[in-house]
């Protein structure tokens, strides 16, 4: 059992973590969302629900994912770097942890369909996988640009039986996909559930996704203690919407001496529109029904988010991260495209592990940190594997 669970910060009844989060929705939908929140709070402690979920996490996903001591990388940089191997999960990343939870929740609530958005297709594939397993129908909203860029994932979703719906509005990427998935859900909420892809959106979604991702931190803390007899000096994870990072942070929130670093994508630079570092460069604002640090232009319009890692390019960020930042419990730092790309090759060549471009941001920061802080124990959450990025990466270096 996780002894620091009591120290974890939960949102208040309206879904706020300090000033962040909440439910900025019309009244009808607010009622439905409060309903989901109540059902979820009951189900999350239900024995049958947890037995089924735990069985699947073990035998279907392959959990627990190991903590691996990256010996070669550690030696090279004069520090100890450990990797929490979420890349080894079924479907290749941490997203299956919450997708399965959300699909099981949908089934328990008697819903027939799962609606979700996807950017690079990772959340879409994980959701389509969980829907296939649970016998639910599945509509995935995806921007037209992303559909062209991410053909293998689109093909996978189709093979898994999902309907992939092309989103042609605005910039035709992730933000618009969320917009359209949301409006579809408004029409179908009686029979469908919206399975959001990260710890974002209106309450109770951040709380639900966080609950299912917290298994990363619970496992990692215990595994790290078993391996080293001590806790890490710091824990690092990349931050897009913030689900893999909150998942691993939660295992260590109560351990005051363990420093927590959220690594945001600096993309091509510091200018608004060139990055997706919402905590570092964002201002308080509202997107998709919740309040967070939000990338905005001078007129207060939501800015375009950019990162080499499509899974990170969301202009907002989970409310609990905004709160942890405000409290100073976690620090948010940045890594740019080039540094992430270098780390992608560095981990591949030193350890034989090809990381996702998203996860490469966390690896890059670990390397940067190690150069200035020798002989530390660093735990990096390796959120996913890089198979999906290979074609793209090879084009970058030509
Ligand atoms: C989607 C994704 C992310 C970013 O999402 P978070 O909610 O911030 O975790 C990070 N890594 C991988 C591999 C992803 O697929």
């Amino acid at each position: 059992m996780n002894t620091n669970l009591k120290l974890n910060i939960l949102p208040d009844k309206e879904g706020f973590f300090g000033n962040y989060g909440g439910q900025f929705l019309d009244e009808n939908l607010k009622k439905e969302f409060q309903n989901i929140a109540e059902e979820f709070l009951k189900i999350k402690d239900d024995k049958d629900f947890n037995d089924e979920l735990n069985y699947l996490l073990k035998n279907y996903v392959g959990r627990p994912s190991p903590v691996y001591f990256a010996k070669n990388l550690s030696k090279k940089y004069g520090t100890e770097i450990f990797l929490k191997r979420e890349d080894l999960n079924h479907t290749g990343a941490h997203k299956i942890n919450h997708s399965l939870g959300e699909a099981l929740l949908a089934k328990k609530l008697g819903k027939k369909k799962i609606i979700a958005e996807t950017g690079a297709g990772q959340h879409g594939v994980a959701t389509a996988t969980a829907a296939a397993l649970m016998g639910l129908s599945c509509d995935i909203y995806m921007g037209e640009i992303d559909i062209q860029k991410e053909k293998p994932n689109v093909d996978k979703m189709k093979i898994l039986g999902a309907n992939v719906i092309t989103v042609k509005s605005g910039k035709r990427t992730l933000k618009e996909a969320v917009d359209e998935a949301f409006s579809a859900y408004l029409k179908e909420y009686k029979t469908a559930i919206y399975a959001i892809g990260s710890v974002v959106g209106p309450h109770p979604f951040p709380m639900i996704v966080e609950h299912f991702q917290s298994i990363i931190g619970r496992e990692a803390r215990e595994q790290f203690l078993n391996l080293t007899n001590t806790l890490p000096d710091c824990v690092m994870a990349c931050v897009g919407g913030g689900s893999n990072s909150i998942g691993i942070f939660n295992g260590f929130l109560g351990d005051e001496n363990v420093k927590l670093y959220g690594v945001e994508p600096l993309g091509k630079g510091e200018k608004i529109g060139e990055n997706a570092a919402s905590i570092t460069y964002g201002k308080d604002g509202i997107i998709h029904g919740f309040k967070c640090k939000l990338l905005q232009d001078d007129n207060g319009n939501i800015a375009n988010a950019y990162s080499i890692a499509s899974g990170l390019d969301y202009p907002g960020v989970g409310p609990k991260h905004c709160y942890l930042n405000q409290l100073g419990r976690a620090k948010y730092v940045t890594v740019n495209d080039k540094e992430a790309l270098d780390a992608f090759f560095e981990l591949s060549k030193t350890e034989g592990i090809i990381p996702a471009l998203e996860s490469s941001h966390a690896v890059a920061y670990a390397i940067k940190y190690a150069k200035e802080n020798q002989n530390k124990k660093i735990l990096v959450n390796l959120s996913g594997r890089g198979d999906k990025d290979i074609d793209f990466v090879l084009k970058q270096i030509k």
Side-chain angles (χ1 to χ4, degrees), residues 86-87 91-95 98 118-123 197-200 209 213 216 237-247 263 309-313 317-318 321 355-360 381-386 388-389:
E86 292 298 298
D87 61 311
T91 70
H94 67 291
K95 287 200 172 71
H98 70 245
T118 195
Q122 295 304 103
H123 178 59
S198 188
V199 285
V200 296
V209 173
Q213 289 297 350
I216 303 175
C238 64
V239 180
S243 66
N244 86 85
S245 46
I246 215 71
V263 185
S310 335
L312 301 180
D313 60 8
V317 61
H321 284 291
L357 278 174
E358 290 81 6
S359 325
S360 301
N381 197 29
L382 203 69
S383 54
R385 66 178 91 121
K388 66 183 177 60
D389 299 313

Side-chain angles (χ1 to χ4, degrees), residues 62-69 82-89 92-94 216 219-220 223 248 347 351-354 379-385:
R63 302 203 73 88
S65 65
V67 166
Y68 166 73
F69 175 52
F82 298 78
L83 306 173
K84 176 65 171 161
R85 301 287 310 274
E86 292 298 298
D87 61 311
L88 295 177
N89 294 341
H94 67 291
I216 303 175
E219 285 176 4
Q223 291 166 319
I248 197 159
L347 189 66
E351 296 288 346
I353 297 172
I354 303 176
L379 174 61
V380 175
N381 197 29
L382 203 69
S383 54
R385 66 178 91 121

Side-chain angles (χ1 to χ4, degrees), residues 117-119 146 172-179 288 310 313-314:
E117 82 293 339
T118 195
D146 290 331
R172 295 174 286 159
T173 59
L174 179 61
K175 187 193 155 288
E176 292 78 19
V178 180
D179 292 341
H288 299 135
S310 335
D313 60 8
Y314 184 67

Side-chain angles (χ1 to χ4, degrees), residues 95-339:
K95 287 200 172 71
I96 192 73
N97 301 331
H98 70 245
S99 296
L100 267 186
E102 286 171 328
L104 200 56
L105 184 66
K107 219 174 83 172
K108 299 281 176 190
L109 294 176
K111 308 285 184 187
K112 302 279 178 263
K113 186 197 268 186
I114 303 190
I115 295 173
E117 82 293 339
T118 195
Q122 295 304 103
H123 178 59
V125 169
T127 304
T129 300
L133 178 68
M134 303 286 169
L136 297 162
S137 74
C138 180
D139 287 356
I140 304 289
Y141 290 80
M142 189 168 183
E144 194 171 28
I145 300 282
D146 290 331
I147 287 183
Q148 289 159 8
K149 249 171 81 181
E150 311 287 346
K151 190 169 181 304
N153 277 341
V154 176
D155 291 342
K156 275 189 205 163
M157 286 185 263
K158 288 183 179 162
I159 289 169
L160 290 161
N163 307 310
V164 180
I165 297 151
T166 310
V167 173
K168 296 182 177 169
S169 54
K171 298 224 162 58
R172 295 174 286 159
T173 59
L174 179 61
K175 187 193 155 288
E176 292 78 19
V178 180
D179 292 341
E180 291 207 12
F182 229 92
S183 11
Y185 175 66
L186 295 188
K187 292 183 199 123
E188 299 182 64
Y189 70 82
K190 294 218 162 74
T191 52
I193 200 169
Y194 184 18
I196 207 153
S198 188
V199 285
V200 296
H203 177 65
F205 288 134
M207 174 177 83
I208 292 176
V209 173
E210 174 178 335
H211 174 78
F212 292 126
Q213 289 297 350
S214 295
I215 191 164
I216 303 175
R218 272 201 306 279
E219 285 176 4
R221 188 176 189 276
E222 192 182 320
Q223 291 166 319
F224 202 92
L225 279 170
N226 285 341
L227 263 172
T228 66
N229 266 325
T230 174
L231 290 171
D233 295 297
C234 43
V235 174
M236 296 172 186
C238 64
V239 180
S243 66
N244 86 85
S245 46
I246 215 71
I248 197 159
F249 286 1
N250 268 359
F252 301 91
L253 275 185
D255 301 309
E256 278 170 39
N257 294 330
V258 178
K259 297 194 175 97
L260 307 174
Y261 291 94
V263 185
E264 295 199 297
L266 185 59
K268 291 180 183 141
E270 291 179 7
K271 276 200 218 117
I272 291 289
E274 289 186 340
N275 64 68
S278 314
I279 292 188
T280 309
Y281 298 109
K283 289 186 226 127
D284 290 3
I286 292 166
I287 182 173
H288 299 135
F290 75 108
K291 190 171 170 190
C292 66
K293 289 279 180 204
L294 181 62
L295 295 172
Q296 302 172 48
D297 65 20
D298 292 340
N299 302 320
N301 300 315
I302 297 174
N304 192 30
Y306 163 80
S307 164
I308 193 171
S310 335
L312 301 180
D313 60 8
Y314 184 67
V317 61
K320 186 161 173 179
H321 284 291
C322 302
Y323 190 48
L324 291 176
N325 175 55
Q326 194 182 15
L327 294 176
R329 178 61 191 97
K331 266 187 90 170
Y332 294 83
V333 296
T334 59
V335 152
N336 67 27
D337 282 359
K338 162 113 189 6
E339 293 165 321

Side-chain angles (χ1 to χ4, degrees), residues 1-10 214 218 250-251 254:
M1 272 314 288
N2 183 359
T3 49
N4 11 289
L5 214 57
K6 62 179 185 302
L7 294 165
N8 282 356
I9 307 156
L10 283 171
S214 295
R218 272 201 306 279
N250 268 359

